[in-house]
Amino acid sequence: MASSVPVSPLRLPSSFNFATDVVEYWAQKDPSHVALYWTDQSLSTTKQLTYSHFARQSRRIASLWATLGIKQGDTAIIISPRIPEWWEIGLACLRAGVVMCPCTTLLVDKDIEYRLQVSHATTFIGDATSVAKCLRVSSKCPNLRTIIQLDGVADTGAGVIDFHAALHKIPSDAPFRVPASLGPQSPGMIFFTSGTTGPPKMVLHTQTSYPLAHALTGMHWLDLAPGKIYWNLSEQGWAKAAWAWLSTWNCGASLFVHDDRLPFHPRRTMQVLNKFPITTLCAPPTVYRQLVLEENRRYFATAEGKPRALTHCCGAGEPLNESVVRTWKEMTGGIEIFDAYGQTETIVVCANQKVNKVKPGSMGKPVPGVPLVVVDADGNVTDPGVEGDIAIEISGSGSHHFFGFFEGYIDKSTGKIDNKIKTLANGKKFFLTGDRASRDQDGYFWFVGRADDVINSAGYRIGPFEVESTLKLHPSVVESAVVGSPDATRDEVVKAFVVLTDNAAARIAGDAEAAAELTRELQEFCKRNAAPYKYPRKIEFVEAAFLPKTISGKIKRAELKMLERRRYQEENAR
Ligand code: ATP
Ligand code: MG
């Protein structure tokens, strides 16, 4: 299948530049074609920026880079709220071959120091707040040469460059020639992973592994095309922001951006959907879990809570519970949530897609063109229903291979790049994702858990996701985290940390008997609604804040597992 632009994402092209081959393509077709709708925090100021605008502005910024000595192959960390400059600068970097490394505004000084050091970034671009953080650590970052501030008054005395003042000196129609040595496999972008299982890993993408291959994400999962307006809730520092940007523009659709700087609030999300003609939404499962709560469901049914133009909803990043998909469909009058699976390391490789029916609780089928499989330890594809490793098979040579995944992790001390591709016993090569799933008769993938999170109990292997999803069906449960807890006879038992609704929490507060009764009720509920051997033998009721989460909101099960180990050792030492 051809992508919306005349470059196919299924064959590695001999030359490709996202700025010239994608953005200028749409700009030339229609100079008034909107690439980005932007609104500020209060929803009062709005902007419509065209593909032509981004084409022109990115040439101008790339020229500025040249005058500042920022060149092809340099790494530039960018940290800013969702302001249009982020996309202008991102496009200028791809045009010039400057490796853009977006990070989240939530980072503190030491996180910025770590990222500047391990990425060897020469350039830091940020809003006033992030620049202040950067200045506090810059003396410990020997590669850093240039600091650019996007807003406010830059401290030029400290050597900070005021972006807008510097750009003002470059003619608005400045030409810029893409460097001849910038090829489809040249370094393109760096992202840090979410850090769910350990310190965030530095992932290097090429000029095509994200910028072109995400055309597949846009076509098959997000169902984007000219005329569609896509709102992705995640923050700019996560790979998902690049998923949104690159897939939307490859498909000639328009991005919608709300420069939201406040903590997530369901009402505001609904107000935005009501006020603007957004057709397509992507939110993480944790957001959908909030949106389907009773009080929000009621609001959704009112005139000011109803989405204006929404037709397609998507989720990714964490397992999406079946019950949430069903409730969302009910409350929206039939809109399903298309769950999809991918990593910072990959584009969306598995997705519920418009051409297939959505199976709630499943992450859908491999995206066309992606050699995604479930394999056993020897590299053989498992039978339907049999759990195995989710893997991308590396086959083909020359331009005929799937290229929508990373170049490798950059080793922070040596700078070497490791693509983690392994040859298994059957002689085939794979990129092993570290996640486990099974595939059903129809080819749908069902997520089991991260390989390290799968619980081994008396010879049974139990995926935490299924138990968490079962618990979520119970009206007293808001959220849970399920891990293996050490056990002398069973090796591990299933332990659930459960966050209760306010009502349920009030019912058991200070009443041990009521808590024990609710524990039994939840256990019986799990036995009835999932295979009985999977029920949580141990349940602990906790406050929402007790669950350790990454800054992007993912549950760090590994920490809870370690907590259980520590408790077990302490008990046995007594
Ligand atoms: P780290 O690699 O630093 O531990 P991380 O794996 O959470 O962090 P990301 O690249 O942001 O970093 O997340 C990718 C992971 O998120 C996947 O490997 C998978 O475990 C999980 N994931 C993504 N999408 C889904 C989905 N639809 N269903 C279940 N899990 C998902
Ligand atoms: Mg990971």
Side-chain angles (χ1 to χ4, degrees):
M1 188 194 280
S3 75
S4 300
V5 290
V7 189
S8 165
L10 296 177
R11 276 193 69 166
L12 190 66
S14 54
S15 78
F16 178 79
N17 185 280
F18 185 73
T20 55
D21 290 309
V22 174
V23 175
E24 286 179 12
Y25 170 80
W26 294 115
Q28 274 154 21
K29 271 189 104 168
D30 175 6
S32 65
H33 190 152
V34 175
L36 190 143
Y37 290 91
W38 179 89
T39 183
D40 65 349
Q41 174 66 55
S42 63
L43 313 184
S44 51
T45 305
T46 56
K47 288 182 187 169
Q48 296 186 16
L49 300 168
T50 60
Y51 280 93
S52 313
H53 165 84
F54 284 101
R56 206 172 40 248
Q57 192 73 344
S58 62
R59 273 194 295 270
R60 192 179 182 196
I61 297 170
S63 306
L64 172 63
W65 286 177
T67 65
L68 295 175
I70 304 170
K71 53 184 195 315
Q72 183 187 350
D74 282 353
T75 295
I77 287 188
I78 174 162
I79 304 184
S80 93
R82 302 168 177 98
I83 51 175
E85 287 88 336
W86 190 94
W87 288 267
E88 295 168 358
I89 288 172
L91 190 61
C93 287
L94 286 175
R95 191 184 274 284
V98 173
V99 183
M100 163 195 202
C101 176
C103 298
T104 160
T105 51
L106 299 170
L107 298 186
V108 297
D109 298 6
K110 70 171 176 23
D111 303 322
I112 293 181
E113 178 185 330
Y114 171 77
R115 282 162 174 75
L116 280 167
Q117 288 174 348
V118 302
S119 68
H120 296 172
T122 62
T123 307
F124 182 91
I125 307 165
D127 63 325
T129 314
S130 332
V131 165
K133 294 177 192 169
C134 173
L135 284 173
R136 289 197 287 269
V137 299
S138 57
S139 62
K140 289 180 261 176
C141 306
N143 297 88
L144 184 63
R145 291 196 303 263
T146 314
I147 302 176
I148 300 172
Q149 186 169 320
L150 299 170
D151 59 353
V153 183
D155 183 357
T156 45
V160 178
I161 292 163
D162 185 319
F163 176 71
H164 286 286
L167 192 63
H168 193 69
K169 296 187 191 134
I170 308 286
S172 60
D173 58 352
F176 182 86
R177 193 184 287 273
V178 172
S181 57
L182 188 61
Q185 285 173 296
S186 300
M189 312 176 108
I190 290 176
F191 275 96
F192 284 85
T193 59
S194 299
T196 312
T197 52
K201 299 178 283 278
M202 200 170 25
V203 165
L204 175 66
H205 278 280
T206 69
Q207 288 282 329
T208 44
S209 64
Y210 254 20
L212 175 59
H214 267 305
L216 296 173
T217 305
M219 287 189 283
H220 298 294
W221 175 47
L222 300 170
D223 196 34
L224 293 174
K228 297 281 174 79
I229 302 180
Y230 173 44
W231 186 28
N232 161 55
L233 293 193
S234 72
E235 210 248 19
Q236 293 314 103
W238 308 118
K240 202 124 156 287
W243 288 17
W245 170 34
L246 303 165
S247 55
T248 304
W249 287 7
N250 261 297
C251 293
S254 310
L255 271 174
F256 176 84
V257 175
H258 174 210
D259 184 12
D260 195 0
R261 303 187 186 189
L262 297 174
F264 165 76
H265 194 285
R267 280 282 161 95
R268 216 169 41 253
T269 306
M270 292 173 173
Q271 276 157 0
V272 173
L273 289 171
N274 176 265
K275 181 159 181 183
F276 299 96
I278 295 160
T279 59
T280 313
L281 172 74
C282 181
T286 151
V287 163
Y288 284 114
R289 283 199 282 271
Q290 297 285 321
L291 292 175
V292 299
L293 293 178
E294 179 57 31
E295 68 263 31
N296 298 322
R297 241 183 285 168
R298 266 185 274 128
Y299 178 69
F300 216 73
T302 67
E304 83 259 31
K306 242 186 194 13
R308 180 192 283 203
L310 192 65
T311 55
H312 189 56
C313 289
C314 296
E318 267 200 301
L320 179 64
N321 320 82
E322 178 182 347
S323 58
V324 176
V325 181
R326 294 201 191 283
T327 313
W328 181 256
K329 188 171 175 181
E330 261 167 50
M331 69 191 263
T332 55
I335 305 179
E336 294 177 296
I337 305 175
F338 287 65
D339 183 27
Y341 166 88
Q343 303 184 311
T344 306
E345 293 87 335
T346 68
I347 62 162
V348 164
V349 287
C350 191
N352 283 284
Q353 300 158 42
K354 271 276 158 100
V355 290
N356 301 313
K357 97 178 180 9
V358 170
K359 284 201 189 184
S362 155
M363 32 193 227
K365 294 188 186 187
V367 162
V370 183
L372 193 75
V373 283
V374 177
V375 291
D376 63 19
D378 293 338
N380 299 316
V381 169
T382 57
D383 287 334
V386 178
E387 181 202 317
D389 290 307
I390 307 179
I392 293 174
E393 188 174 348
I394 312 297
S395 60
S397 56
S399 61
H400 291 277
H401 67 273
F402 171 63
F403 56 88
F405 65 104
F406 71 156
E407 188 70 3
Y409 298 113
I410 308 178
D411 183 296
K412 57 180 192 253
S413 41
T414 63
K416 285 212 175 102
I417 293 166
D418 179 357
N419 64 14
K420 295 282 173 200
I421 290 173
K422 278 206 180 102
T423 304
L424 297 186
N426 66 358
K428 291 187 175 169
K429 281 198 215 159
F430 297 95
F431 165 62
L432 297 169
T433 59
D435 292 311
R436 308 272 298 172
S438 65
R439 204 173 28 92
D440 68 16
Q441 294 282 1
D442 303 327
Y444 284 72
F445 281 42
W446 296 80
F447 187 76
V448 172
R450 291 173 191 260
D452 298 341
D453 290 344
V454 174
I455 301 159
N456 270 308
S457 186
Y460 289 111
R461 289 176 56 79
I462 300 165
F465 172 51
E466 190 186 347
V467 185
E468 289 166 10
S469 283
T470 308
L471 283 165
K472 177 74 190 132
L473 294 170
H474 192 281
S476 299
V477 175
V478 173
E479 190 174 25
S480 69
V482 167
V483 299
S485 174
D487 183 83
T489 49
R490 292 190 163 81
D491 191 14
E492 286 184 319
V493 292
V494 177
K495 158 104 190 225
F497 292 88
V498 175
V499 179
L500 293 171
T501 58
D502 292 346
N503 281 345
R507 273 203 309 278
I508 64 159
D511 185 343
E513 211 160 285
E517 178 56 32
L518 183 56
T519 299
R520 278 193 297 276
E521 187 183 320
L522 290 176
Q523 289 172 327
E524 288 309 314
F525 183 82
C526 286
K527 285 188 200 167
R528 277 200 310 278
N529 289 287
Y533 68 89
K534 295 179 181 171
Y535 85 92
R537 282 173 192 268
K538 293 186 183 171
I539 290 184
E540 183 174 337
F541 298 118
V542 295
E543 303 270 326
F546 177 89
L547 295 183
K549 291 191 174 174
T550 62
I551 30 186
S552 57
K554 296 193 195 197
I555 298 172
K556 297 183 183 176
R557 289 182 193 78
E559 285 190 12
L560 293 172
K561 201 168 154 181
M562 254 148 49
L563 172 71
E564 286 299 292
R565 277 216 192 118
R566 261 199 323 274
R567 287 173 170 175
Y568 181 76
Q569 280 160 1
E570 280 163 18
E571 260 167 41
N572 284 312
R574 272 192 220 132

